[in-house]
Amino acid sequence: MKTAKSIITHLKRHPRNIKVLEIACYEKVKSMLPSHLQSAILFMYKKNQTLYFVLNHPGMKMEFHYKLILIKTLLNKLKSLDPNCKDLDILEVKSFVSNKIPPKVEEEKKIQ
């Protein structure tokens, strides 16, 4: 009898679900970055062999630019270490700042 893990792995590897594996690989790269960069990333996507990072602050874009070699190295290491990520065909990494303002979360006022 197959285990749940083997069934999920089989479903992920199906050609129509290949996007799920790519997104999981992008999240792994994000988790390997320093924490201040992780918190600045709103989301990531791939288009024409370029991985785009959408950031929430212009200052973080400069910091991200300085860490570009680190990110490319992490992508190459991930391809060699993780069999699910070996088919990533990313040649460039770019970043930009989102022009949408995130909604502010209002804190509840505490009564003392």
Side-chain angles (χ1 to χ4, degrees):
M1 178 166 231
K2 292 185 177 183
T3 63
K5 184 177 180 180
S6 66
I7 293 171
I8 291 172
T9 303
H10 175 72
L11 289 174
K12 281 183 179 179
R13 290 180 185 260
H14 197 274
R16 70 173 178 237
N17 296 330
I18 200 74
K19 194 80 168 167
V20 174
L21 281 176
E22 285 183 359
I23 292 171
C25 291
Y26 303 152
E27 290 299 320
K28 286 180 184 177
V29 170
K30 181 180 175 181
S31 69
M32 288 188 251
L33 292 173
S35 62
H36 67 282
L37 285 179
Q38 286 180 20
S39 62
I41 297 172
L42 295 176
F43 61 92
M44 300 171 281
Y45 67 93
K46 184 181 101 171
K47 183 177 180 181
N48 298 333
Q49 297 179 336
T50 303
L51 182 61
Y52 291 94
F53 287 84
V54 182
L55 305 173
N56 61 2
H57 192 274
M60 281 304 186
K61 184 180 182 311
M62 290 301 297
E63 179 76 22
F64 200 83
H65 181 70
Y66 294 134
K67 303 282 185 183
L68 200 57
I69 295 171
L70 170 69
I71 295 166
K72 288 181 180 179
T73 304
L74 287 175
L75 280 169
N76 289 332
K77 290 283 186 186
L78 190 62
K79 286 181 191 179
S80 63
L81 295 176
D82 192 354
N84 293 331
C85 299
K86 68 179 180 181
D87 295 331
L88 287 178
D89 56 343
I90 296 172
L91 300 177
E92 280 189 72
V93 177
K94 294 185 179 181
S95 64
F96 62 93
V97 179
S98 175
N99 60 356
K100 295 184 179 180
I101 299 171
K104 291 185 178 180
V105 178
E106 294 184 22
E107 295 181 22
E108 295 182 19
K109 294 182 180 179
K110 294 182 182 180
I111 301 174
Q112 293 180 351

